[in-house]
Amino acid sequence: MGNGMDRPLLIFSGQSNRPLAQAIAEALGLPLGKSTTLRFANDNLFVRYEESLREGDVFIVQSLTPPVQDHLMELLMMIDAAKGASAARVTAVIPYFSYARSDKKDAPRISIAARLIADLLQTAGADRVLTMTLHSPQVHGFFKVPVDHLSAEPVIANHFATRVDLENAVVVAPDAGDIKRASSLARRLGLPLAFIDKERVSDTQVRVRMLVGEVAGKTALIVDDEISTAGSLVEAVEALLQAGAREVYAAATHGVYVGPALERIAKSPVKEVAATDTCPPKEGPKLKTLTVAPLFAEAIWRIHRGESVSSLFT
């Protein structure tokens, strides 16, 4: 395929998160490519590029946010259309990969949907995938094409370091599955670690069983990969305050904020909830948005030039 540097770098966006795609293109000093997506009266989607892609190094930005099925289908059609238009390489840039929770057969007669999505992306013609903070990192292994898996940790660490007095703070994993992620952030900030052991009652409800670690009199910093209904978050905030934490801040990579999430956060005693713009930002008095556009722009530039992306993680 030759060196990517002699091919034009083209950035396109689906409809799920145009502001992030725009910010990525601006960070690269490029215009966002022109494409059209229409919906016919029979609900079928129609996708067309409005410029030549021939021999281009094409990056298509699309988060799998609600309505997930529409955004997934649009992405698959955009990849397919790009391949049909003789693009030299097509990279699916999926800042939020929503089916990453469905990564194992933990109940009878179910689909491992994350693997199915990986198969669909590859069948459509994706040559590589660029994503951020998969809920289950092993989803990476479902792909036969290269996957670059970015982390929002530097952005979240910088946010906490500039927002909170770290003199008397503790990083908290809201459940046992998040310990590795929280532990990495705690090391980066030079802080102790605590975690909450919880059980899931339903899709929107959780119950805290116990808190491990010292939080009394400290500022607690909850770090999570995603906040969807905010059930886990508000339970964790209550548990930390009951255990004597002075105040609680939270940050997540993906602020999905569905169902009762915004109302729950507004009523909760949490000081502030920050999330990156992998999902379109929502408005709320305690909500803060951190941008990951420069991180994605840098990763795209390195992929285009055939340089290492792993050095972005240090």
Side-chain angles (χ1 to χ4, degrees):
M1 267 174 19
N3 187 338
M5 288 159 68
D6 45 18
R7 300 196 300 258
L9 171 57
L10 304 167
I11 312 281
F12 290 91
S13 177
Q15 292 177 308
S16 73
N17 198 344
R18 285 191 78 84
L20 176 61
Q22 188 69 56
I24 291 170
E26 279 170 15
L28 286 163
L30 294 170
L32 193 57
K34 291 184 178 63
S35 65
T36 303
T37 299
L38 303 171
R39 188 184 295 273
F40 291 122
N42 66 356
D43 206 38
N44 288 10
L45 291 178
F46 167 83
V47 164
R48 182 177 63 212
Y49 290 98
E50 306 293 348
E51 57 190 89
S52 171
L53 274 57
R54 188 169 291 277
E55 292 308 310
D57 194 8
V58 174
F59 292 80
I60 302 166
V61 181
Q62 180 84 315
S63 277
L64 297 183
T65 51
V68 179
Q69 283 45 274
D70 284 14
H71 290 149
L72 173 61
M73 192 64 198
E74 184 189 22
L75 174 59
L76 294 171
M77 290 172 76
M78 288 183 80
I79 294 167
D80 183 58
K83 293 301 274 193
S86 302
R89 179 173 66 179
V90 178
T91 302
V93 181
I94 310 175
Y96 173 58
F97 189 101
S98 66
Y99 275 104
R101 284 172 176 273
S102 176
D103 63 309
K104 57 192 174 294
K105 202 167 174 83
D106 53 3
R109 299 175 294 282
I110 64 166
S111 165
I112 302 176
R115 194 204 60 225
L116 175 62
I117 305 296
D119 291 346
L120 288 169
L121 289 164
Q122 289 164 139
T123 301
D127 296 297
R128 60 188 308 139
V129 172
L130 174 61
T131 188
M132 178 170 267
T133 316
L134 290 169
H135 180 74
S136 306
Q138 62 267 31
V139 166
H140 196 142
F142 295 155
F143 288 90
K144 293 185 179 73
V145 297
V147 176
D148 291 298
H149 185 190
L150 299 178
S151 166
E153 186 185 293
V155 175
I156 289 172
N158 183 54
H159 164 68
F160 279 145
T162 52
R163 189 86 185 90
V164 182
D165 178 11
L166 298 182
E167 196 57 49
N168 196 16
V170 55
V171 172
V172 181
D175 74 32
D178 287 302
I179 290 177
K180 199 171 174 187
R181 194 175 288 114
S183 167
S184 175
L185 184 75
R187 266 201 312 277
R188 187 183 279 259
L189 292 173
L191 294 176
L193 180 69
F195 78 90
I196 289 167
D197 182 36
K198 68 174 189 190
E199 60 181 328
R200 186 161 283 288
V201 183
S202 72
D203 178 39
T204 59
Q205 262 192 309
V206 296
R207 186 183 303 127
V208 170
R209 278 203 294 241
M210 69 171 182
L211 169 66
V212 180
E214 191 52 58
V215 301
K218 293 177 187 274
T219 300
L221 310 176
I222 298 174
V223 60
D224 210 344
D225 61 305
E226 70 176 82
I227 299 170
S228 52
T229 63
S232 297
L233 175 67
V234 297
E235 286 286 333
V237 172
E238 293 292 348
L240 289 165
L241 291 170
Q242 278 172 15
R246 211 174 55 212
E247 49 185 7
V248 184
Y249 289 80
T253 302
H254 310 297
V256 193
Y257 302 137
V258 290
L262 298 180
E263 192 187 340
R264 281 175 168 172
I265 291 168
K267 287 181 177 165
S268 161
V270 68
K271 283 290 225 197
E272 181 184 82
V273 179
T276 78
D277 50 359
T278 56
C279 299
K282 298 272 201 322
E283 295 296 313
K286 295 178 183 178
L287 301 182
K288 188 165 176 55
T289 303
L290 316 174
T291 186
V292 285
L295 208 53
F296 273 99
E298 180 65 25
I300 287 169
W301 182 243
R302 290 184 187 196
I303 291 166
H304 177 62
R305 292 176 63 90
E307 294 171 3
S308 165
V309 175
S310 59
S311 51
L312 282 176
F313 297 101
T314 47

